[in-house]
Amino acid sequence: SEHLQQTGIPSESQDKVSVLDSGPEMAEPQVVVAPVVTSKLSAKAPEFYPSGYIQNFNQNFTDSSFEDRYDGYLTLAEYVQDFLNHLTEQPGCFETEIEQFAETLNGWVTADETLQELVELLYQQATSVPNFSYMGARLCNYLSHHLTISPQSGNFRQLLLQRCRTEYENRDEAAKGDEKTQKQFHAFVLFLAELYLNLEIKGTKGQVTRAEILQEGLRELLNVLFSNPVDNNLICAVKLLKLTGSVLEDAWKEKGKNDMEEMIQRIENVVLDANCSRDVKHMLLKLVELRSSNWGRVHGTSTHTEATPENDPNYFMNEPTFYTSDGVPFTAADPDYQEKYQELLEREDLFPDYEENGTDLSGPGD
């Protein structure tokens, strides 16, 4: 009985085991207890955090949302950095917590110095933490419309653009610099691209436009990257054009400019003459191919025309797959689709609970 207790068998089961054990020809049952395996892995291991992520501040977040935890910070830097790290870890919280964040900043950022500090914190996060440039641009756009402070030195958006200009003016040296310098420069370029796509400028009549100065800046940055055609610079240029190429070309065409044609010509010259790797040349050629297909965009005959197999090559791409009574799959691309689909509907009529219980009766096994 003592042995059974140690093995973890419930007491009410012990009598049954004893009966089995009492037979002269029955072997004593062997109860194997699996060893307890304790993992040495930690969710806080540095491998789980992006470079540039400051782990200490984020310990304030457990099960509660950020908006309930903003009090108790000693400095603006701690509060802002904590929220930025929180967004880095949980980007889905942006929509639900950005309003509270902006309201708190309006009570904290009341002087030129604190506004400058806020801009610098956001800039550093967006250009040093991988994949935060998009979230950083969205954050900057929201604050540009919701921060109430507007000192003589410039409002939030003006100070942000001034900070970007400081980096922009060093573009020639940065493109020719060492690997670390180039990496920082490329992070700035991609953040500027995200700002161009996300920063909304509201006119006096309520119209929303993009920052014109960023459009011209991106064009010059592309020139700098192609003028120094080493692999890292060219890869950055490809990322920049894949991100903003369609928007830039549309904006240039509205002004009657053929800047994108000139850019494509530069790319073709680089492919022919530059001493870059074969893989990078392949990336450049793929970019030219993407542009020749109108940046992957498919337009109908008019903006109000619905997509059809004739005007949209991707028409059948997302169509579901159905099955006949024999288990043969078919899609909307099949010539006899309507006939097969009607048969499927008639089969489903035989099962009135189909929609209610969620059972898939159209698969091969029914």
Side-chain angles (χ1 to χ4, degrees), residues 243-279:
L243 185 64
T244 64
S246 61
V247 179
L248 285 173
E249 183 164 15
D250 289 346
W252 287 333
K253 282 183 176 179
E254 287 180 5
K255 299 177 182 178
K257 297 182 177 180
N258 61 346
D259 292 34
M260 189 56 71
E261 290 290 347
E262 296 176 7
M263 208 62 65
I264 295 299
Q265 185 61 54
R266 295 203 66 175
I267 293 175
E268 292 173 348
N269 291 339
V270 167
V271 172
L272 291 174
D273 302 330
N275 188 25
C276 57
S277 69
R278 183 178 61 180
D279 289 342

PDB file of all heavy atoms in Angstrom, residues 243-279:
ATOM      1  N   LEU A 243       8.751  49.961 -51.379  1.00  0.00           N
ATOM      2  CA  LEU A 243       7.840  50.534 -50.392  1.00  0.00           C
ATOM      3  C   LEU A 243       7.082  51.733 -50.933  1.00  0.00           C
ATOM      4  O   LEU A 243       5.870  51.877 -50.721  1.00  0.00           O
ATOM      5  CB  LEU A 243       8.636  50.931 -49.140  1.00  0.00           C
ATOM      6  CG  LEU A 243       7.854  51.456 -47.939  1.00  0.00           C
ATOM      7  CD1 LEU A 243       6.926  50.377 -47.390  1.00  0.00           C
ATOM      8  CD2 LEU A 243       8.821  51.924 -46.847  1.00  0.00           C
ATOM      9  N   THR A 244       7.779  52.602 -51.652  1.00  0.00           N
ATOM     10  CA  THR A 244       7.177  53.896 -52.036  1.00  0.00           C
ATOM     11  C   THR A 244       7.105  54.122 -53.539  1.00  0.00           C
ATOM     12  O   THR A 244       6.588  55.157 -53.962  1.00  0.00           O
ATOM     13  CB  THR A 244       7.992  55.051 -51.419  1.00  0.00           C
ATOM     14  OG1 THR A 244       9.315  55.044 -51.990  1.00  0.00           O
ATOM     15  CG2 THR A 244       8.093  54.923 -49.914  1.00  0.00           C
ATOM     16  N   GLY A 245       7.607  53.197 -54.355  1.00  0.00           N
ATOM     17  CA  GLY A 245       7.722  53.436 -55.790  1.00  0.00           C
ATOM     18  C   GLY A 245       6.423  53.839 -56.460  1.00  0.00           C
ATOM     19  O   GLY A 245       6.376  54.814 -57.218  1.00  0.00           O
ATOM     20  N   SER A 246       5.347  53.136 -56.183  1.00  0.00           N
ATOM     21  CA  SER A 246       4.075  53.437 -56.834  1.00  0.00           C
ATOM     22  C   SER A 246       3.550  54.808 -56.435  1.00  0.00           C
ATOM     23  O   SER A 246       3.042  55.569 -57.267  1.00  0.00           O
ATOM     24  CB  SER A 246       3.040  52.365 -56.487  1.00  0.00           C
ATOM     25  OG  SER A 246       2.803  52.315 -55.085  1.00  0.00           O
ATOM     26  N   VAL A 247       3.704  55.152 -55.156  1.00  0.00           N
ATOM     27  CA  VAL A 247       3.218  56.450 -54.672  1.00  0.00           C
ATOM     28  C   VAL A 247       4.069  57.586 -55.234  1.00  0.00           C
ATOM     29  O   VAL A 247       3.544  58.624 -55.665  1.00  0.00           O
ATOM     30  CB  VAL A 247       3.222  56.482 -53.129  1.00  0.00           C
ATOM     31  CG1 VAL A 247       2.751  57.837 -52.619  1.00  0.00           C
ATOM     32  CG2 VAL A 247       2.341  55.375 -52.569  1.00  0.00           C
ATOM     33  N   LEU A 248       5.373  57.382 -55.254  1.00  0.00           N
ATOM     34  CA  LEU A 248       6.258  58.408 -55.808  1.00  0.00           C
ATOM     35  C   LEU A 248       5.978  58.636 -57.293  1.00  0.00           C
ATOM     36  O   LEU A 248       5.899  59.777 -57.755  1.00  0.00           O
ATOM     37  CB  LEU A 248       7.724  57.997 -55.614  1.00  0.00           C
ATOM     38  CG  LEU A 248       8.309  58.135 -54.208  1.00  0.00           C
ATOM     39  CD1 LEU A 248       9.706  57.532 -54.164  1.00  0.00           C
ATOM     40  CD2 LEU A 248       8.355  59.592 -53.767  1.00  0.00           C
ATOM     41  N   GLU A 249       5.848  57.548 -58.039  1.00  0.00           N
ATOM     42  CA  GLU A 249       5.610  57.705 -59.474  1.00  0.00           C
ATOM     43  C   GLU A 249       4.290  58.417 -59.746  1.00  0.00           C
ATOM     44  O   GLU A 249       4.209  59.280 -60.628  1.00  0.00           O
ATOM     45  CB  GLU A 249       5.629  56.346 -60.182  1.00  0.00           C
ATOM     46  CG  GLU A 249       5.454  56.473 -61.681  1.00  0.00           C
ATOM     47  CD  GLU A 249       5.837  55.231 -62.447  1.00  0.00           C
ATOM     48  OE1 GLU A 249       5.983  54.156 -61.827  1.00  0.00           O
ATOM     49  OE2 GLU A 249       6.008  55.325 -63.677  1.00  0.00           O
ATOM     50  N   ASP A 250       3.247  58.077 -58.994  1.00  0.00           N
ATOM     51  CA  ASP A 250       1.966  58.764 -59.170  1.00  0.00           C
ATOM     52  C   ASP A 250       2.098  60.258 -58.895  1.00  0.00           C
ATOM     53  O   ASP A 250       1.550  61.091 -59.630  1.00  0.00           O
ATOM     54  CB  ASP A 250       0.909  58.156 -58.242  1.00  0.00           C
ATOM     55  CG  ASP A 250       0.488  56.762 -58.668  1.00  0.00           C
ATOM     56  OD1 ASP A 250       0.812  56.368 -59.810  1.00  0.00           O
ATOM     57  OD2 ASP A 250      -0.154  56.057 -57.861  1.00  0.00           O
ATOM     58  N   ALA A 251       2.830  60.590 -57.818  1.00  0.00           N
ATOM     59  CA  ALA A 251       3.004  62.002 -57.459  1.00  0.00           C
ATOM     60  C   ALA A 251       3.807  62.741 -58.524  1.00  0.00           C
ATOM     61  O   ALA A 251       3.483  63.886 -58.882  1.00  0.00           O
ATOM     62  CB  ALA A 251       3.692  62.116 -56.102  1.00  0.00           C
ATOM     63  N   TRP A 252       4.850  62.103 -59.056  1.00  0.00           N
ATOM     64  CA  TRP A 252       5.663  62.751 -60.094  1.00  0.00           C
ATOM     65  C   TRP A 252       4.867  62.910 -61.382  1.00  0.00           C
ATOM     66  O   TRP A 252       4.975  63.946 -62.058  1.00  0.00           O
ATOM     67  CB  TRP A 252       6.937  61.932 -60.331  1.00  0.00           C
ATOM     68  CG  TRP A 252       7.922  62.060 -59.209  1.00  0.00           C
ATOM     69  CD1 TRP A 252       8.069  63.110 -58.360  1.00  0.00           C
ATOM     70  CD2 TRP A 252       8.897  61.081 -58.801  1.00  0.00           C
ATOM     71  NE1 TRP A 252       9.067  62.857 -57.447  1.00  0.00           N
ATOM     72  CE2 TRP A 252       9.599  61.628 -57.690  1.00  0.00           C
ATOM     73  CE3 TRP A 252       9.255  59.809 -59.256  1.00  0.00           C
ATOM     74  CZ2 TRP A 252      10.635  60.943 -57.046  1.00  0.00           C
ATOM     75  CZ3 TRP A 252      10.283  59.141 -58.622  1.00  0.00           C
ATOM     76  CH2 TRP A 252      10.961  59.696 -57.529  1.00  0.00           C
ATOM     77  N   LYS A 253       4.066  61.928 -61.728  1.00  0.00           N
ATOM     78  CA  LYS A 253       3.269  62.029 -62.948  1.00  0.00           C
ATOM     79  C   LYS A 253       2.249  63.164 -62.855  1.00  0.00           C
ATOM     80  O   LYS A 253       1.956  63.831 -63.851  1.00  0.00           O
ATOM     81  CB  LYS A 253       2.552  60.707 -63.216  1.00  0.00           C
ATOM     82  CG  LYS A 253       3.448  59.627 -63.811  1.00  0.00           C
ATOM     83  CD  LYS A 253       2.657  58.368 -64.116  1.00  0.00           C
ATOM     84  CE  LYS A 253       3.534  57.325 -64.792  1.00  0.00           C
ATOM     85  NZ  LYS A 253       2.782  56.065 -65.086  1.00  0.00           N
ATOM     86  N   GLU A 254       1.697  63.384 -61.680  1.00  0.00           N
ATOM     87  CA  GLU A 254       0.749  64.478 -61.501  1.00  0.00           C
ATOM     88  C   GLU A 254       1.394  65.835 -61.790  1.00  0.00           C
ATOM     89  O   GLU A 254       0.719  66.777 -62.192  1.00  0.00           O
ATOM     90  CB  GLU A 254       0.190  64.462 -60.076  1.00  0.00           C
ATOM     91  CG  GLU A 254      -0.805  63.337 -59.817  1.00  0.00           C
ATOM     92  CD  GLU A 254      -1.330  63.364 -58.399  1.00  0.00           C
ATOM     93  OE1 GLU A 254      -0.989  64.326 -57.654  1.00  0.00           O
ATOM     94  OE2 GLU A 254      -2.088  62.450 -58.017  1.00  0.00           O
ATOM     95  N   LYS A 255       2.694  65.907 -61.569  1.00  0.00           N
ATOM     96  CA  LYS A 255       3.429  67.150 -61.842  1.00  0.00           C
ATOM     97  C   LYS A 255       3.995  67.171 -63.254  1.00  0.00           C
ATOM     98  O   LYS A 255       4.698  68.117 -63.628  1.00  0.00           O
ATOM     99  CB  LYS A 255       4.572  67.305 -60.839  1.00  0.00           C
ATOM    100  CG  LYS A 255       4.122  67.394 -59.387  1.00  0.00           C
ATOM    101  CD  LYS A 255       5.333  67.476 -58.476  1.00  0.00           C
ATOM    102  CE  LYS A 255       4.921  67.529 -57.011  1.00  0.00           C
ATOM    103  NZ  LYS A 255       6.109  67.569 -56.124  1.00  0.00           N
ATOM    104  N   GLY A 256       3.728  66.119 -64.025  1.00  0.00           N
ATOM    105  CA  GLY A 256       4.250  66.060 -65.376  1.00  0.00           C
ATOM    106  C   GLY A 256       5.715  65.700 -65.442  1.00  0.00           C
ATOM    107  O   GLY A 256       6.387  65.967 -66.450  1.00  0.00           O
ATOM    108  N   LYS A 257       6.237  65.102 -64.388  1.00  0.00           N
ATOM    109  CA  LYS A 257       7.654  64.730 -64.348  1.00  0.00           C
ATOM    110  C   LYS A 257       7.830  63.259 -64.712  1.00  0.00           C
ATOM    111  O   LYS A 257       6.944  62.436 -64.471  1.00  0.00           O
ATOM    112  CB  LYS A 257       8.240  64.982 -62.952  1.00  0.00           C
ATOM    113  CG  LYS A 257       8.240  66.439 -62.518  1.00  0.00           C
ATOM    114  CD  LYS A 257       8.885  66.583 -61.148  1.00  0.00           C
ATOM    115  CE  LYS A 257       8.966  68.032 -60.705  1.00  0.00           C
ATOM    116  NZ  LYS A 257       9.599  68.160 -59.373  1.00  0.00           N
ATOM    117  N   ASN A 258       8.987  62.950 -65.289  1.00  0.00           N
ATOM    118  CA  ASN A 258       9.302  61.560 -65.621  1.00  0.00           C
ATOM    119  C   ASN A 258      10.466  61.068 -64.758  1.00  0.00           C
ATOM    120  O   ASN A 258      11.358  60.350 -65.213  1.00  0.00           O
ATOM    121  CB  ASN A 258       9.636  61.417 -67.107  1.00  0.00           C
ATOM    122  CG  ASN A 258      10.848  62.256 -67.483  1.00  0.00           C
ATOM    123  OD1 ASN A 258      11.277  63.125 -66.717  1.00  0.00           O
ATOM    124  ND2 ASN A 258      11.407  61.993 -68.652  1.00  0.00           N
ATOM    125  N   ASP A 259      10.446  61.459 -63.483  1.00  0.00           N
ATOM    126  CA  ASP A 259      11.537  61.099 -62.563  1.00  0.00           C
ATOM    127  C   ASP A 259      11.706  59.594 -62.417  1.00  0.00           C
ATOM    128  O   ASP A 259      12.836  59.108 -62.293  1.00  0.00           O
ATOM    129  CB  ASP A 259      11.281  61.718 -61.188  1.00  0.00           C
ATOM    130  CG  ASP A 259      11.404  63.235 -61.206  1.00  0.00           C
ATOM    131  OD1 ASP A 259      11.039  63.838 -62.233  1.00  0.00           O
ATOM    132  OD2 ASP A 259      11.860  63.819 -60.213  1.00  0.00           O
ATOM    133  N   MET A 260      10.605  58.855 -62.446  1.00  0.00           N
ATOM    134  CA  MET A 260      10.734  57.416 -62.271  1.00  0.00           C
ATOM    135  C   MET A 260      11.411  56.778 -63.483  1.00  0.00           C
ATOM    136  O   MET A 260      12.178  55.812 -63.328  1.00  0.00           O
ATOM    137  CB  MET A 260       9.358  56.787 -62.033  1.00  0.00           C
ATOM    138  CG  MET A 260       9.422  55.312 -61.634  1.00  0.00           C
ATOM    139  SD  MET A 260      10.450  54.994 -60.161  1.00  0.00           S
ATOM    140  CE  MET A 260       9.432  55.712 -58.876  1.00  0.00           C
ATOM    141  N   GLU A 261      11.158  57.307 -64.661  1.00  0.00           N
ATOM    142  CA  GLU A 261      11.857  56.809 -65.851  1.00  0.00           C
ATOM    143  C   GLU A 261      13.362  56.995 -65.693  1.00  0.00           C
ATOM    144  O   GLU A 261      14.153  56.108 -66.030  1.00  0.00           O
ATOM    145  CB  GLU A 261      11.358  57.535 -67.100  1.00  0.00           C
ATOM    146  CG  GLU A 261       9.938  57.193 -67.513  1.00  0.00           C
ATOM    147  CD  GLU A 261       9.814  55.776 -68.048  1.00  0.00           C
ATOM    148  OE1 GLU A 261      10.855  55.146 -68.335  1.00  0.00           O
ATOM    149  OE2 GLU A 261       8.681  55.292 -68.173  1.00  0.00           O
ATOM    150  N   GLU A 262      13.752  58.160 -65.188  1.00  0.00           N
ATOM    151  CA  GLU A 262      15.176  58.417 -64.963  1.00  0.00           C
ATOM    152  C   GLU A 262      15.743  57.459 -63.919  1.00  0.00           C
ATOM    153  O   GLU A 262      16.881  56.986 -64.049  1.00  0.00           O
ATOM    154  CB  GLU A 262      15.366  59.861 -64.514  1.00  0.00           C
ATOM    155  CG  GLU A 262      14.957  60.902 -65.551  1.00  0.00           C
ATOM    156  CD  GLU A 262      15.079  62.321 -65.023  1.00  0.00           C
ATOM    157  OE1 GLU A 262      15.600  62.484 -63.894  1.00  0.00           O
ATOM    158  OE2 GLU A 262      14.644  63.252 -65.728  1.00  0.00           O
ATOM    159  N   MET A 263      14.943  57.158 -62.879  1.00  0.00           N
ATOM    160  CA  MET A 263      15.405  56.257 -61.832  1.00  0.00           C
ATOM    161  C   MET A 263      15.594  54.844 -62.376  1.00  0.00           C
ATOM    162  O   MET A 263      16.575  54.157 -62.058  1.00  0.00           O
ATOM    163  CB  MET A 263      14.399  56.259 -60.677  1.00  0.00           C
ATOM    164  CG  MET A 263      14.983  55.964 -59.320  1.00  0.00           C
ATOM    165  SD  MET A 263      16.215  57.192 -58.801  1.00  0.00           S
ATOM    166  CE  MET A 263      15.186  58.656 -58.675  1.00  0.00           C
ATOM    167  N   ILE A 264      14.671  54.396 -63.202  1.00  0.00           N
ATOM    168  CA  ILE A 264      14.781  53.063 -63.798  1.00  0.00           C
ATOM    169  C   ILE A 264      16.007  52.990 -64.714  1.00  0.00           C
ATOM    170  O   ILE A 264      16.707  51.972 -64.766  1.00  0.00           O
ATOM    171  CB  ILE A 264      13.497  52.705 -64.566  1.00  0.00           C
ATOM    172  CG1 ILE A 264      12.312  52.603 -63.605  1.00  0.00           C
ATOM    173  CG2 ILE A 264      13.676  51.407 -65.333  1.00  0.00           C
ATOM    174  CD1 ILE A 264      12.452  51.546 -62.542  1.00  0.00           C
ATOM    175  N   GLN A 265      16.283  54.083 -65.416  1.00  0.00           N
ATOM    176  CA  GLN A 265      17.458  54.118 -66.278  1.00  0.00           C
ATOM    177  C   GLN A 265      18.738  53.999 -65.461  1.00  0.00           C
ATOM    178  O   GLN A 265      19.690  53.315 -65.857  1.00  0.00           O
ATOM    179  CB  GLN A 265      17.477  55.416 -67.095  1.00  0.00           C
ATOM    180  CG  GLN A 265      18.604  55.489 -68.111  1.00  0.00           C
ATOM    181  CD  GLN A 265      18.534  54.377 -69.145  1.00  0.00           C
ATOM    182  OE1 GLN A 265      17.510  54.206 -69.797  1.00  0.00           O
ATOM    183  NE2 GLN A 265      19.609  53.604 -69.283  1.00  0.00           N
ATOM    184  N   ARG A 266      18.749  54.632 -64.310  1.00  0.00           N
ATOM    185  CA  ARG A 266      19.916  54.528 -63.432  1.00  0.00           C
ATOM    186  C   ARG A 266      20.099  53.100 -62.946  1.00  0.00           C
ATOM    187  O   ARG A 266      21.224  52.596 -62.843  1.00  0.00           O
ATOM    188  CB  ARG A 266      19.763  55.468 -62.236  1.00  0.00           C
ATOM    189  CG  ARG A 266      19.760  56.933 -62.595  1.00  0.00           C
ATOM    190  CD  ARG A 266      20.165  57.791 -61.421  1.00  0.00           C
ATOM    191  NE  ARG A 266      21.558  57.547 -61.042  1.00  0.00           N
ATOM    192  CZ  ARG A 266      22.203  58.234 -60.104  1.00  0.00           C
ATOM    193  NH1 ARG A 266      21.579  59.203 -59.452  1.00  0.00           N
ATOM    194  NH2 ARG A 266      23.453  57.974 -59.809  1.00  0.00           N
ATOM    195  N   ILE A 267      18.989  52.447 -62.631  1.00  0.00           N
ATOM    196  CA  ILE A 267      19.072  51.061 -62.180  1.00  0.00           C
ATOM    197  C   ILE A 267      19.652  50.176 -63.275  1.00  0.00           C
ATOM    198  O   ILE A 267      20.524  49.324 -63.019  1.00  0.00           O
ATOM    199  CB  ILE A 267      17.674  50.563 -61.753  1.00  0.00           C
ATOM    200  CG1 ILE A 267      17.196  51.303 -60.517  1.00  0.00           C
ATOM    201  CG2 ILE A 267      17.691  49.056 -61.509  1.00  0.00           C
ATOM    202  CD1 ILE A 267      15.787  50.960 -60.093  1.00  0.00           C
ATOM    203  N   GLU A 268      19.194  50.372 -64.495  1.00  0.00           N
ATOM    204  CA  GLU A 268      19.695  49.565 -65.605  1.00  0.00           C
ATOM    205  C   GLU A 268      21.181  49.820 -65.843  1.00  0.00           C
ATOM    206  O   GLU A 268      21.932  48.897 -66.174  1.00  0.00           O
ATOM    207  CB  GLU A 268      18.880  49.867 -66.861  1.00  0.00           C
ATOM    208  CG  GLU A 268      17.435  49.378 -66.756  1.00  0.00           C
ATOM    209  CD  GLU A 268      16.571  49.808 -67.926  1.00  0.00           C
ATOM    210  OE1 GLU A 268      17.034  50.689 -68.707  1.00  0.00           O
ATOM    211  OE2 GLU A 268      15.453  49.290 -68.069  1.00  0.00           O
ATOM    212  N   ASN A 269      21.628  51.048 -65.653  1.00  0.00           N
ATOM    213  CA  ASN A 269      23.056  51.352 -65.785  1.00  0.00           C
ATOM    214  C   ASN A 269      23.868  50.672 -64.697  1.00  0.00           C
ATOM    215  O   ASN A 269      24.978  50.184 -64.934  1.00  0.00           O
ATOM    216  CB  ASN A 269      23.278  52.867 -65.733  1.00  0.00           C
ATOM    217  CG  ASN A 269      22.720  53.570 -66.958  1.00  0.00           C
ATOM    218  OD1 ASN A 269      22.525  52.955 -68.010  1.00  0.00           O
ATOM    219  ND2 ASN A 269      22.434  54.855 -66.828  1.00  0.00           N
ATOM    220  N   VAL A 270      23.308  50.641 -63.489  1.00  0.00           N
ATOM    221  CA  VAL A 270      23.995  49.972 -62.383  1.00  0.00           C
ATOM    222  C   VAL A 270      24.138  48.486 -62.677  1.00  0.00           C
ATOM    223  O   VAL A 270      25.196  47.883 -62.452  1.00  0.00           O
ATOM    224  CB  VAL A 270      23.228  50.196 -61.057  1.00  0.00           C
ATOM    225  CG1 VAL A 270      23.742  49.253 -59.974  1.00  0.00           C
ATOM    226  CG2 VAL A 270      23.364  51.642 -60.594  1.00  0.00           C
ATOM    227  N   VAL A 271      23.091  47.875 -63.193  1.00  0.00           N
ATOM    228  CA  VAL A 271      23.138  46.447 -63.506  1.00  0.00           C
ATOM    229  C   VAL A 271      24.221  46.156 -64.549  1.00  0.00           C
ATOM    230  O   VAL A 271      24.911  45.135 -64.476  1.00  0.00           O
ATOM    231  CB  VAL A 271      21.760  45.968 -64.009  1.00  0.00           C
ATOM    232  CG1 VAL A 271      21.841  44.539 -64.529  1.00  0.00           C
ATOM    233  CG2 VAL A 271      20.724  46.070 -62.898  1.00  0.00           C
ATOM    234  N   LEU A 272      24.397  47.071 -65.490  1.00  0.00           N
ATOM    235  CA  LEU A 272      25.381  46.861 -66.552  1.00  0.00           C
ATOM    236  C   LEU A 272      26.802  47.157 -66.099  1.00  0.00           C
ATOM    237  O   LEU A 272      27.741  46.447 -66.480  1.00  0.00           O
ATOM    238  CB  LEU A 272      25.034  47.747 -67.756  1.00  0.00           C
ATOM    239  CG  LEU A 272      23.759  47.374 -68.527  1.00  0.00           C
ATOM    240  CD1 LEU A 272      23.470  48.425 -69.591  1.00  0.00           C
ATOM    241  CD2 LEU A 272      23.903  45.990 -69.159  1.00  0.00           C
ATOM    242  N   ASP A 273      26.974  48.202 -65.282  1.00  0.00           N
ATOM    243  CA  ASP A 273      28.325  48.701 -65.019  1.00  0.00           C
ATOM    244  C   ASP A 273      28.836  48.489 -63.604  1.00  0.00           C
ATOM    245  O   ASP A 273      30.044  48.380 -63.396  1.00  0.00           O
ATOM    246  CB  ASP A 273      28.379  50.210 -65.326  1.00  0.00           C
ATOM    247  CG  ASP A 273      27.974  50.505 -66.767  1.00  0.00           C
ATOM    248  OD1 ASP A 273      28.212  49.646 -67.633  1.00  0.00           O
ATOM    249  OD2 ASP A 273      27.407  51.595 -67.008  1.00  0.00           O
ATOM    250  N   ALA A 274      27.954  48.475 -62.605  1.00  0.00           N
ATOM    251  CA  ALA A 274      28.417  48.460 -61.218  1.00  0.00           C
ATOM    252  C   ALA A 274      29.038  47.125 -60.844  1.00  0.00           C
ATOM    253  O   ALA A 274      28.643  46.071 -61.350  1.00  0.00           O
ATOM    254  CB  ALA A 274      27.263  48.788 -60.273  1.00  0.00           C
ATOM    255  N   ASN A 275      29.987  47.197 -59.923  1.00  0.00           N
ATOM    256  CA  ASN A 275      30.670  46.002 -59.448  1.00  0.00           C
ATOM    257  C   ASN A 275      29.962  45.481 -58.197  1.00  0.00           C
ATOM    258  O   ASN A 275      30.547  45.376 -57.126  1.00  0.00           O
ATOM    259  CB  ASN A 275      32.133  46.327 -59.133  1.00  0.00           C
ATOM    260  CG  ASN A 275      32.927  45.063 -58.816  1.00  0.00           C
ATOM    261  OD1 ASN A 275      32.559  43.975 -59.249  1.00  0.00           O
ATOM    262  ND2 ASN A 275      33.997  45.224 -58.051  1.00  0.00           N
ATOM    263  N   CYS A 276      28.685  45.157 -58.355  1.00  0.00           N
ATOM    264  CA  CYS A 276      27.922  44.626 -57.229  1.00  0.00           C
ATOM    265  C   CYS A 276      27.697  43.129 -57.439  1.00  0.00           C
ATOM    266  O   CYS A 276      27.963  42.599 -58.510  1.00  0.00           O
ATOM    267  CB  CYS A 276      26.582  45.357 -57.070  1.00  0.00           C
ATOM    268  SG  CYS A 276      25.528  45.320 -58.541  1.00  0.00           S
ATOM    269  N   SER A 277      27.196  42.464 -56.415  1.00  0.00           N
ATOM    270  CA  SER A 277      27.044  41.016 -56.479  1.00  0.00           C
ATOM    271  C   SER A 277      25.944  40.608 -57.458  1.00  0.00           C
ATOM    272  O   SER A 277      25.053  41.393 -57.792  1.00  0.00           O
ATOM    273  CB  SER A 277      26.729  40.460 -55.079  1.00  0.00           C
ATOM    274  OG  SER A 277      25.439  40.857 -54.679  1.00  0.00           O
ATOM    275  N   ARG A 278      25.998  39.370 -57.871  1.00  0.00           N
ATOM    276  CA  ARG A 278      24.992  38.855 -58.807  1.00  0.00           C
ATOM    277  C   ARG A 278      23.602  38.875 -58.179  1.00  0.00           C
ATOM    278  O   ARG A 278      22.610  39.180 -58.844  1.00  0.00           O
ATOM    279  CB  ARG A 278      25.364  37.428 -59.214  1.00  0.00           C
ATOM    280  CG  ARG A 278      24.424  36.820 -60.245  1.00  0.00           C
ATOM    281  CD  ARG A 278      24.872  35.435 -60.643  1.00  0.00           C
ATOM    282  NE  ARG A 278      24.879  34.527 -59.499  1.00  0.00           N
ATOM    283  CZ  ARG A 278      25.228  33.247 -59.558  1.00  0.00           C
ATOM    284  NH1 ARG A 278      25.641  32.733 -60.711  1.00  0.00           N
ATOM    285  NH2 ARG A 278      25.218  32.493 -58.475  1.00  0.00           N
ATOM    286  N   ASP A 279      23.510  38.561 -56.883  1.00  0.00           N
ATOM    287  CA  ASP A 279      22.217  38.548 -56.210  1.00  0.00           C
ATOM    288  C   ASP A 279      21.591  39.934 -56.188  1.00  0.00           C
ATOM    289  O   ASP A 279      20.378  40.078 -56.365  1.00  0.00           O
ATOM    290  CB  ASP A 279      22.360  38.018 -54.779  1.00  0.00           C
ATOM    291  CG  ASP A 279      22.647  36.528 -54.732  1.00  0.00           C
ATOM    292  OD1 ASP A 279      22.403  35.853 -55.761  1.00  0.00           O
ATOM    293  OD2 ASP A 279      23.119  36.044 -53.690  1.00  0.00           O
TER     294      ASP A 279
END
